[in-house]
Amino acid sequence: MYELIRSSQLDIMLMLCGACAVVMVLIVMTDFLARRRKQILIMLELVAFFLLWFDRLAYIYAGVEGDKAGIMVRASNFMVFFLTPAIVLFFNMYLSDWLYKEGKVTVRLKRLRVISVLSVAAMVMAIISAITGLYYYIDDGNHYHRGGGFIIAYIIPIICPLVQYTVIRQHRKVFTKFIYMSLKLYIFVPIICGIVQIFAYGLSITNMSMVLVSVSMYFFTYVDVNKAAGQAHELELRKMAEEKRSMKRLFDQTATAFVSAVEKKDDFAKGHSARVAGYARRIAKIVGKDEDYCDRVYYAALLHDVGLIGIPDSVIKNEANPDKWDYEAIRRKPKIGKEILSSITEYPYLSQGAYYSHERYNGTGYPDGLKGEEIPEIARIVAVADAYDTMTTKKRYRDARPYFVARESIVKGSGEEFDPLFANAMIKIIDDDNMDIDEKDMAAIESEFSCKEYREHVSRAVIIDNYLTVIEFECESNAESGEEYSMPSVLLFDSFDRRIHDNEKAIEAYKYAEYGEIWFDGHYVATAARNIEVTERDIHAGRSGYKIIAARYDDHIRLEMNTEDKQFEAIVALADKTKAAYIALTGENCNIHNISVHKTEEKINENSIRRIANAISYIDRIESDIRNIQIDRDRSAATEGIEIKDILEIAFHSMSLPTASLVWHCPFAIVFAADDARIGGKNYREYALIKLNGEIGETKGNAENKFIMEKTEDFVSWDSWKAANKRGIEYKISLEKHGNKILFEAENSGIRVEDTIVIKDNVNKVYVALTGDQCALTDIRIKYI
């Protein structure tokens, strides 16, 4: 290593000189440094440059004969010894400037002042040495030799940096990480090299190291300033973000106050704007809009009804003529809203939401009769969100509609009233919001209530399924003198809203069907149930309270009803398998309390309940390539998987069951993969759920679906479509496979469905199965082309 450095040190010196020159140019061009610090760094690099330059010349001319060589050797060695303490001096100036300017040190440090004096003294000693030969002398052959006082020349370059380090160490907290690192390198690297050079005669590693750390000083300063600039930029960004959040909060509060003023005009409008805004934001997010756009949609929806401010209260409350709504006055709302919000020029989308949200996708809306993409996108989003919340909340002139009725309206209105993209997103929100509602309702059942009159209060309902459900409670009579009868009872029913109803409108709206009522003394009343049988069993006395154990299999329910001294088994035959079944508690002249509900993990089978009525089947028809299936509830049954290869055509007969009432009570097709070719089988992955009424189900990222639904000239109306399905129609679907891409096509009764499925998984076989909701599929024929 020694010989390598020795033989190459002239080239190394030249390279380091070049580096110094480049750094000097960079410092001159730099704008981020203060003027004084910039001057100090330039002088530091300049001294380092000449130090190494003259050191190199001393080596070049050493031992060369001639007057010129003699002058160059003497001048070069003098400059080396003169500039070495000059390096210490300018470094001292750099350190002082940093401490006093950046470090905010107010007291002038004596140690640094002493070092400046000693550095100047060392430069004077270099002049004296050149005359006296104290440090070195040059012989007649122009060879360099160390003098008797050579070691004195190293006192300042070694001792002074050590003193400087004590200052740096004392004030280390005022230095940044990179500056602190550069200062330590500047001090200790030359010291270490200087000690080595005392014993390694013929090498100039001290001067080379001083130049090297001088060059590094600039780069460390650059990195430090760059980091500081980055931190300042980040701080500024955080400040701007906080200001933006503050402005957003202010805007939100202003908008909310505006909405509050609007909603005071109509008691039935309270909360409507906030709910519409929430739905609209979720729609925008589902279709892939960024956060900023979602915010715009939210505020446009929040203020979409602001035009109501200009509508007289008498019109809104319909006081003048309760039997007739002043539609002309109400239709002025969009124009008034636009006039109010147009003054907010920074946010033009606000006025768009207010003005165009009553336009309809097919051009039948108002105020301008725009259609399709002529309507601003934000207004198309607000329209579907507004429609859903309007349908599902109570109005002055009608009760709230059940969510499934509103869902059907959105499905029917897709492509007509509403943009299909946003209608599908709204349907997904509806489905998500109403998922697992049974568990939520069961968890919310009250713990106690009181009944004076018969059925004065009915508990919240608990769903009965094929897992045993245990309901326990205590009951005491609250009958007064002369009121002899006191007894709790059990109601069995089905209703879309899981509530008991007794008026005709609610019964029709929620498809309410009461199967029967059973009392704890064994008597019962059968209404919509086909049959009820109650059998008393022997029981050992001693238990306390009331207990019900309920379960269902297909169209039969079994209840085990226990009191302190009696036990009954009740078997209930439902109208068919399509209906849900709920149980609720009520009574007469009794207080029911300490109610608890527990769903067990014990699942029953067909042998668990004794049948008291024959099963109702709608598939007693011809079977073709695969078995017929009756789907009583959503996806409750499915065909076996049919492998998709080349071009596959499937034809079948479908008939909606008598209980079917909604447009999605129809056949579905599921595209999937599974090791056993069955829905829900081993390694099951679902790629598409296609409802033949024109809906697409959600996949879990296993595939991409490009879904298209359109109405052909054969489409008459949704009522006609449902009627045709009730009578029974022939369906035909086709699937064409190309690698990982599958093209699905179907057309029936004027509804054309197309889906391009791109499968992301690496699977060899892909299958399709038929299923549905409240329909019977028969005569299923398979054909490969």
Side-chain angles (χ1 to χ4, degrees):
M1 187 67 180
Y2 174 83
E3 289 299 328
L4 178 63
I5 296 175
R6 185 183 181 89
S7 61
S8 305
Q9 71 172 340
L10 292 180
D11 294 332
I12 296 172
M13 288 178 175
L14 185 62
M15 181 182 67
L16 290 172
C17 285
C20 261
V22 170
V23 169
M24 276 191 287
V25 172
L26 291 175
I27 294 174
V28 171
M29 296 170 61
T30 297
D31 293 327
F32 60 77
L33 290 173
R35 182 179 179 182
R36 175 168 172 75
R37 191 168 306 166
K38 188 173 181 179
Q39 292 171 345
I40 294 171
L41 282 173
I42 290 173
M43 289 303 300
L44 200 58
E45 299 298 334
L46 189 64
V47 171
F49 172 83
F50 281 116
L51 173 64
L52 203 57
W53 182 264
F54 284 113
D55 199 11
R56 184 171 181 274
L57 289 179
Y59 278 98
I60 291 173
Y61 287 101
V64 178
E65 296 181 358
D67 294 340
K68 179 182 176 182
I71 293 171
M72 292 302 296
V73 168
R74 287 167 176 78
S76 297
N77 279 285
F78 164 71
M79 291 301 296
V80 168
F81 282 92
F82 181 80
L83 293 174
T84 298
I87 286 277
V88 177
L89 176 63
F90 282 107
F91 176 74
N92 203 61
M93 294 171 66
Y94 176 81
L95 180 60
S96 300
D97 183 72
W98 221 103
L99 286 169
Y100 299 143
K101 296 287 180 62
E102 304 293 335
K104 308 298 183 184
V105 177
T106 55
V107 179
R108 296 296 168 178
L109 301 173
K110 292 182 180 180
R111 282 168 289 177
L112 296 183
R113 296 170 66 181
V114 169
I115 289 171
S116 295
V117 172
L118 291 176
S119 299
V120 173
M123 294 166 70
V124 174
M125 286 296 296
I127 298 172
I128 296 171
S129 174
I131 300 171
T132 62
L134 178 64
Y135 296 161
Y136 64 93
Y137 64 92
I138 309 298
D139 64 17
D140 294 337
N142 291 332
H143 289 97
Y144 168 87
H145 298 279
R146 289 178 176 177
F150 172 79
I151 196 68
I152 299 173
Y154 279 84
I155 294 176
I156 297 302
I158 292 176
I159 299 301
C160 287
L162 291 175
V163 175
Q164 288 170 332
Y165 180 68
T166 64
V167 175
I168 294 169
R169 185 72 180 170
Q170 179 184 351
H171 298 281
R172 63 186 179 277
K173 291 184 179 179
V174 304
F175 297 107
T176 61
K177 181 178 71 173
F178 290 108
I179 294 298
Y180 186 67
M181 187 186 303
S182 70
L183 295 177
K184 288 204 297 182
L185 288 175
Y186 204 96
I187 287 172
F188 289 109
V189 171
I191 290 175
I192 294 170
C193 291
I195 294 171
V196 172
Q197 188 168 330
I198 293 174
F199 303 100
Y201 185 73
L203 287 181
S204 191
I205 57 175
T206 302
N207 292 339
M208 286 191 288
S209 67
M210 293 181 76
V211 172
L212 188 62
V213 293
S214 296
V215 171
S216 71
M217 181 77 72
Y218 168 77
F219 289 104
F220 276 109
T221 302
Y222 179 82
V223 171
D224 180 71
V225 171
N226 190 57
K227 183 181 179 183
Q231 290 173 338
H233 180 65
E234 186 177 343
L235 182 63
E236 184 66 22
L237 288 177
R238 285 201 297 268
K239 185 178 179 181
M240 290 174 63
E242 179 55 37
E243 289 177 353
K244 185 177 180 180
R245 284 192 293 270
S246 178
M247 290 296 294
K248 186 177 177 181
R249 285 193 296 270
L250 177 61
F251 183 77
D252 187 68
Q253 291 165 3
T254 304
T256 302
F258 218 155
V259 168
S260 179
V262 172
E263 292 181 346
K264 285 185 181 298
K265 295 175 70 68
D266 185 4
D267 296 338
F268 290 90
K270 190 173 183 180
H272 170 69
S273 295
R275 290 191 300 272
V276 172
Y279 289 136
R281 184 200 287 276
R282 291 170 68 185
I283 290 170
K285 189 171 183 179
I286 286 171
V287 300
K289 302 299 183 181
D290 60 36
E291 193 62 31
D292 183 61
Y293 191 89
C294 291
D295 283 345
R296 279 185 263 166
V297 169
Y298 175 84
Y299 287 111
L302 190 66
L303 295 171
H304 79 285
D305 266 348
V306 74
L308 285 174
I309 286 180
I311 305 297
D313 290 355
S314 59
V315 173
I316 294 173
K317 296 178 180 179
N318 206 19
E319 295 170 343
N321 187 355
D323 298 324
K324 186 177 179 181
W325 193 264
D326 191 349
Y327 286 104
E328 288 304 316
I330 289 295
R331 285 165 72 98
R332 293 200 303 269
K333 183 189 74 169
K335 187 175 180 180
I336 297 170
K338 180 181 180 182
E339 290 172 352
I340 293 171
L341 297 174
S342 291
S343 59
I344 309 178
T345 55
E346 289 294 318
Y347 307 114
Y349 53 85
L350 296 178
S351 62
Q352 290 177 357
Y355 188 67
Y356 295 109
S357 61
H358 290 280
E359 299 287 359
R360 292 297 173 253
Y361 200 70
N362 59 5
T364 60
Y366 66 91
D368 294 341
L370 301 183
K371 64 188 298 186
E373 295 188 3
E374 294 174 353
I375 307 167
E377 186 176 66
I378 283 181
R380 282 179 271 147
I381 294 174
V382 174
V384 66
D386 180 40
Y388 178 71
D389 190 72
T390 298
M391 286 186 279
T392 54
T393 52
K394 181 177 175 62
K395 298 299 179 185
R396 193 178 307 278
Y397 49 89
R398 62 158 174 81
D399 289 332
R401 293 172 182 167
Y403 83 88
F404 57 86
V405 173
R407 185 189 190 280
E408 185 179 46
S409 294
I410 300 295
V411 172
K412 289 179 176 179
S414 178
E416 295 291 331
E417 295 181 66
F418 312 116
D419 186 317
L421 176 65
F422 305 133
N424 288 338
M426 188 70 242
I427 290 166
K428 182 184 182 305
I429 291 170
I430 296 169
D431 291 343
D432 288 345
D433 287 352
N434 290 279
M435 191 179 295
D436 301 327
I437 197 167
D438 298 322
E439 286 76 5
K440 294 176 184 176
D441 277 4
M442 187 178 75
I445 191 169
E446 60 269 64
S447 61
E448 62 180 354
F449 63 89
S450 178
C451 284
K452 191 67 179 172
E453 301 295 331
Y454 172 58
R455 285 201 187 185
E456 182 181 354
H457 184 93
V458 179
S459 74
R460 296 188 184 96
V462 176
I463 191 168
I464 307 174
D465 56 21
N466 54 357
Y467 287 91
L468 291 180
T469 299
V470 179
I471 304 173
E472 296 182 279
F473 61 94
E474 295 178 16
C475 181
E476 288 87 29
S477 172
N478 63 12
E480 297 176 0
S481 177
E483 297 175 336
E484 297 180 357
Y485 190 79
S486 174
M487 179 72 67
S489 63
V490 169
L491 289 171
L492 299 172
F493 68 96
D494 180 28
S495 175
F496 281 131
D497 69 344
R498 299 158 174 81
R499 298 288 186 269
I500 299 292
H501 296 286
D502 56 9
N503 70 75
E504 290 185 8
K505 284 187 177 181
I507 289 171
E508 174 59 28
Y510 293 100
K511 307 300 179 187
Y512 176 73
E514 187 171 309
Y515 303 128
E517 183 172 6
I518 306 173
W519 283 261
F520 280 82
D521 61 1
H523 81 276
Y524 63 89
V525 173
T527 47
R530 285 189 288 158
N531 192 11
I532 296 179
E533 289 186 5
V534 178
T535 306
E536 185 172 359
R537 292 181 172 181
D538 295 332
I539 186 171
H540 298 289
R543 66 163 280 113
S544 60
Y546 291 75
K547 183 177 182 180
I548 304 168
I549 303 175
R552 170 185 178 168
Y553 186 82
D554 283 349
D555 57 353
H556 275 55
I557 294 173
R558 186 190 74 193
L559 299 179
E560 184 182 300
M561 303 172 63
N562 300 280
T563 68
E564 294 180 357
D565 55 1
K566 292 182 180 180
Q567 183 182 79
F568 299 93
E569 180 190 65
I571 306 294
V572 181
L574 306 180
D576 55 42
K577 294 185 286 186
T578 65
K579 293 288 188 180
Y582 298 92
I583 185 170
L585 302 176
T586 187
E588 183 178 1
N589 292 323
C590 61
N591 295 322
I592 298 175
H593 57 97
N594 292 337
I595 304 171
S596 66
V597 180
H598 172 62
K599 187 177 288 292
T600 72
E601 296 182 359
E602 184 178 347
K603 189 175 183 179
I604 66 170
N605 55 43
E606 59 184 336
N607 299 317
S608 303
I609 301 179
R610 175 173 54 88
R611 293 197 68 88
I612 60 173
N614 293 328
I616 297 175
S617 175
Y618 297 96
I619 56 174
D620 188 17
R621 290 169 52 94
I622 186 172
E623 282 193 350
S624 294
D625 295 327
I626 57 177
R627 66 183 180 86
N628 298 338
I629 58 169
Q630 179 172 315
I631 310 143
D632 297 298
R633 293 177 299 282
D634 182 34
R635 295 178 63 169
S636 62
T639 67
E640 62 193 61
I642 305 164
E643 185 179 355
I644 304 171
K645 53 186 178 181
D646 301 325
I647 300 175
L648 168 64
E649 289 186 352
I650 305 175
F652 58 94
H653 182 273
S654 173
M655 182 181 71
S656 297
L657 301 184
T659 53
S661 60
L662 302 168
V663 293
W664 56 84
H665 290 160
C666 66
F668 308 162
I670 299 176
V671 178
F672 69 99
D675 294 351
D676 55 3
R678 295 187 178 279
I679 298 289
K682 186 178 180 182
N683 292 324
Y684 179 75
R685 284 151 291 176
E686 189 166 300
Y687 303 125
L689 168 61
I690 303 163
K691 301 181 180 182
L692 297 186
N693 67 311
E695 293 184 61
I696 181 75
E698 185 182 8
T699 59
K700 296 183 178 179
N702 298 318
E704 292 180 358
N705 287 264
K706 186 178 180 181
F707 183 77
I708 299 172
M709 185 278 273
E710 60 183 13
K711 297 167 184 172
T712 68
E713 293 179 354
D714 296 332
F715 184 80
V716 179
S717 69
W718 282 107
D719 288 338
S720 296
W721 190 88
K722 289 194 289 185
N725 276 269
K726 282 271 191 177
R727 292 190 301 269
I729 60 174
E730 288 291 315
Y731 277 86
K732 183 178 179 180
I733 66 174
S734 69
L735 299 99
E736 188 173 343
K737 188 172 186 291
H738 298 282
N740 68 332
K741 184 183 292 186
I742 295 172
L743 177 63
F744 177 96
E745 291 182 338
E747 185 175 333
N748 64 91
S749 299
I751 297 295
R752 182 178 176 276
V753 173
E754 182 180 307
D755 188 22
T756 301
I757 308 161
V758 180
I759 297 172
K760 297 179 181 180
D761 295 336
N762 184 19
V763 292
N764 294 324
K765 293 184 178 182
V766 180
Y767 304 91
V768 61
L770 299 178
T771 182
D773 190 356
Q774 295 198 33
C775 58
L777 309 184
T778 58
D779 192 19
I780 304 169
R781 290 145 281 152
I782 301 168
K783 181 180 178 181
Y784 288 102
I785 301 175

